[in-house]
């Protein structure tokens, strides 16, 4: 079982603050890295699919970077809003079908 | 995006009974679906990969006679927890994806199983 770590486990930020989380994964046998947002009582939804070292992706106020050589990815949220409150999961993919999920970062944005 | 529906959302059953959970891809065909289990404060753990028209592939440590998986059509996979016991109480969630191997997963809503 591969170890995928996410930090912090949880955090609370004020509305308008910017924040970031980390996903750490093994630096070998990399195939892809996914970020998902999981709101309470809903299905996890993909934010980013990242495949290349140095990838930077952006969707609105949320962006992510990828460093496959050192085995980490950062997720950034600029100007957090209450609707950003969710658990953010990363998934490290070794082959096409082998996904290894982190335990997630639970974000609460306080109005 | 693609939609995956999972049913039931929660179920309570008595010890020794069997429970079936359904996972449907509503707007795409899924030759492969994935079943995960999540214990409190832990990550999603892959239990098995469900393959349409053939046997499921189970992860190490997952009892295939305990967790029966059937993938009889391109849009439906079922997970049956047989002779459930309290230690089977957990959150079960399915996923599927259309297209290529690097593509994102589409998840069902998950099923919370409580075995009394």
């Amino acid at each position: 079982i591969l170890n995928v770590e996410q930090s912090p486990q949880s955090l609370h930020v004020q509305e308008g603050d910017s924040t970031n989380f980390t996903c750490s994964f093994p630096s070998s046998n990399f195939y892809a890295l996914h970020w998902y947002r999981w709101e309470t009582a809903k299905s996890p939804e993909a934010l980013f699919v990242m495949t290349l070292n140095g990838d930077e992706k952006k969707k609105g106020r949320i962006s992510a970077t990828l460093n496959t050589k050192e085995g980490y990815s950062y997720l950034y949220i600029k100007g957090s809003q209450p609707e950003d409150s969710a658990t953010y999961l990363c998934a490290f993919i070794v082959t096409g079908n082998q996904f290894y999920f982190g335990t997630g970062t639970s974000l609460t944005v306080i109005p | 995006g693609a939609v995956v529906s999972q049913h039931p959302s929660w179920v309570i059953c008595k010890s020794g009974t069997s429970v079936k959970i359904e996972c449907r891809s509503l707007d795409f065909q899924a030759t492969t679906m994935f079943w995960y289990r999540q214990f409190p404060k832990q990550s999603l753990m892959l239990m098995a990969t469900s393959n349409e028209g053939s046997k499921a592939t189970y992860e190490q440590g997952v009892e295939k006679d305990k967790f029966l998986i059937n993938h009889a059509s391109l849009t439906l996979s079922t997970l049956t927890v047989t002779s459930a016991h309290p230690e089977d109480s957990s959150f079960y969630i399915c996923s599927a994806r259309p297209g290529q191997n690097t593509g994102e997963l589409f998840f069902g809503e998950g099923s919370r199983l409580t075995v009394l």
Side-chain angles (χ1 to χ4, degrees):
Chain A
I1 296 178
L2 295 179
N3 195 28
V4 179
E5 295 186 352
Q6 290 188 247
S7 62
Q9 188 172 21
S10 67
L11 73 163
H12 294 69
V13 300
Q14 290 292 136
E15 182 176 354
D17 287 351
S18 294
T19 188
N20 64 86
F21 331 131
T22 305
C23 174
S24 301
F25 50 86
S27 55
S28 58
N29 299 319
F30 177 87
Y31 190 82
L33 187 103
H34 295 185
W35 281 99
Y36 293 85
R37 176 167 58 201
W38 194 355
E39 295 180 65
T40 302
K42 294 186 177 180
S43 308
E45 292 185 346
L47 286 172
F48 302 114
V49 173
M50 310 180 82
T51 57
L52 297 175
N53 183 46
D55 255 356
E56 291 189 22
K57 300 228 172 175
K58 187 175 181 181
K59 184 182 292 186
R61 294 178 292 99
I62 304 176
S63 60
T65 61
L66 178 66
N67 184 323
T68 61
K69 295 186 186 302
E70 296 183 36
Y72 64 84
S73 176
Y74 293 139
L75 186 79
Y76 301 91
I77 301 179
K78 184 178 179 181
S80 302
Q81 299 297 308
E83 58 265 31
D84 296 328
S85 298
T87 295
Y88 292 82
L89 291 176
C90 69
F92 171 65
I93 298 91
V94 178
T95 66
N97 281 347
Q98 288 184 302
F99 282 66
Y100 296 92
F101 284 87
T103 52
T105 293
S106 175
L107 172 67
T108 302
V109 181
I110 303 165
Chain B
V3 179
V4 174
S5 179
Q6 187 173 340
H7 178 81
S9 300
W10 56 269
V11 58
I12 301 172
C13 70
K14 292 183 179 179
S15 185
T17 60
S18 295
V19 174
K20 180 186 287 187
I21 301 170
E22 294 187 348
C23 180
R24 295 181 185 273
S25 55
L26 298 186
D27 52 1
F28 67 97
Q29 293 183 333
T31 55
T32 304
M33 291 186 175
F34 307 97
W35 286 96
Y36 293 87
R37 178 169 56 185
Q38 184 183 40
F39 291 108
K41 297 191 185 298
Q42 296 188 20
S43 59
L44 295 176
M45 295 297 295
L46 181 66
M47 298 175 65
T49 301
S50 171
N51 304 298
E52 187 268 335
S54 64
K55 292 182 179 180
T57 305
Y58 289 83
E59 295 300 299
Q60 190 174 6
V62 177
E63 299 175 58
K64 58 183 178 183
D65 294 331
K66 174 77 169 173
F67 300 98
L68 298 179
I69 291 174
N70 184 279
H71 195 154
S73 77
L74 286 171
T75 59
L76 174 64
S77 175
T78 61
L79 168 68
T80 301
V81 183
T82 62
S83 187
H85 287 92
E87 58 265 29
D88 299 323
S89 298
S90 187
F91 182 79
Y92 296 87
I93 190 167
C94 69
S95 69
R97 72 183 156 202
Q100 73 273 16
N101 284 341
T102 56
E104 64 190 88
L105 290 176
F106 293 91
F107 286 87
E109 301 90 339
S111 301
R112 173 76 58 190
L113 170 64
T114 301
V115 184
L116 301 177

